[in-house]
Amino acid sequence: MARSYVKEARRRVGPKRERIVPIIERLQADHPDATIALKYRNDLELLVSVMLSAQTTDVNVNRVTAKLFEKYQRPEDYLAVPVEELQSDIRATGFFRQKTRSLRGTMKMLVEEFDGKVPRTLEELTRLPGVARKTANVVASELGHTQGIVVDTHVRRLSQRLGLTRREDPVKIERDLMKIVPRERWGVFPHLLIWHGRRVCLARRPRCEECVLLDLCPSSRV
């Protein structure tokens, strides 16, 4: 996109601080069902599901965990079976050897340091093996302790297209978003962008003609 066009487009849609609330409100009206797609029944299942979701789809994770969570119900259960057995049980999610190491390391720490319970703070969550900031943000937010904004590939792409950030690094993108998104919307905001990214603002062929953000988006040429 030519620089002159970008400058003109940003002037046309207005400052991002003025657009952010209308963006959120329109997306909430257009995607009232925007919630986490992973299926879980408790804190531990949420943590495991998010850890397994790396480099695969939520649909695939849900398919695997439907059986997994019947077999493994406590942190100790993940440590009681041979490594090869757990690897086999999560193989379909991909990167199963690394995920098995992370799961077993996390379960060991939960048992030894957290009385078998999933912690709530980002500082504690990111101490768990295999739990980076994105995973920690998802878990904390879903447990009602939102402390940041989840930045996945959809959030990154749409935030850039909407002119909310020029950054490439997820941590820097999160900082930019936290400055303009009202704190009480930090939890729902990523879900809205994720579902809008899946349904309308597609990576290769965004459906601008169907987008409720048409007049608020500097990347639209419709």
Side-chain angles (χ1 to χ4, degrees), residues 82-100:
V83 172
E84 295 76 15
E85 186 173 342
L86 181 54
Q87 287 180 348
S88 177
D89 288 338
I90 67 169
R91 181 183 293 268
T93 67
F95 300 94
F96 60 91
R97 291 187 181 88
Q98 177 58 49
K99 289 179 180 179
T100 295

Side-chain angles (χ1 to χ4, degrees), residues 84-164:
E84 295 76 15
E85 186 173 342
L86 181 54
Q87 287 180 348
S88 177
D89 288 338
I90 67 169
R91 181 183 293 268
T93 67
F95 300 94
F96 60 91
R97 291 187 181 88
Q98 177 58 49
K99 289 179 180 179
T100 295
R101 284 194 293 272
S102 296
L103 281 176
R104 286 174 64 88
T106 284
M107 298 307 161
K108 187 172 185 291
M109 186 175 286
L110 289 182
V111 171
E112 294 178 351
E113 300 188 30
F114 296 102
D115 196 29
K117 296 180 174 59
V118 177
R120 298 295 197 266
T121 69
L122 293 188
E123 183 179 0
E124 291 175 322
L125 283 165
T126 52
R127 286 181 54 217
L128 300 173
V131 177
R133 184 175 177 88
K134 175 191 164 187
T135 297
N137 261 328
V138 173
V139 173
S141 182
E142 292 303 312
L143 295 181
H145 296 264
T146 305
Q147 294 149 66
I149 296 176
V150 176
V151 177
D152 74 344
T153 54
H154 294 291
V155 175
R156 174 182 173 181
R157 184 177 77 252
L158 269 67
S159 294
Q160 292 170 338
R161 284 182 176 174
L162 287 166
L164 305 179

Side-chain angles (χ1 to χ4, degrees), residues 163-201:
L164 305 179
T165 183
R166 299 182 187 182
R167 310 282 192 169
E168 293 292 336
D169 179 71
V171 174
K172 293 179 180 178
I173 291 174
E174 182 184 4
R175 288 182 192 146
D176 284 350
L177 294 177
M178 288 169 69
K179 291 176 184 175
I180 60 173
V181 176
R183 188 179 179 89
E184 67 273 13
R185 309 285 185 98
W186 284 5
V188 71
F189 185 69
H191 291 311
L192 295 172
L193 291 193
I194 289 168
W195 284 100
H196 194 63
R198 287 172 175 168
R199 293 167 170 168
V200 181
C201 195

Side-chain angles (χ1 to χ4, degrees), residues 1-12 166 218-219 221:
M1 191 180 291
R3 184 174 298 178
S4 60
Y5 176 79
V6 172
K7 188 174 182 179
E8 186 278 328
R10 289 196 174 119
R11 186 164 52 242
R12 171 175 56 84
R166 299 182 187 182
S219 300
R221 295 200 179 197

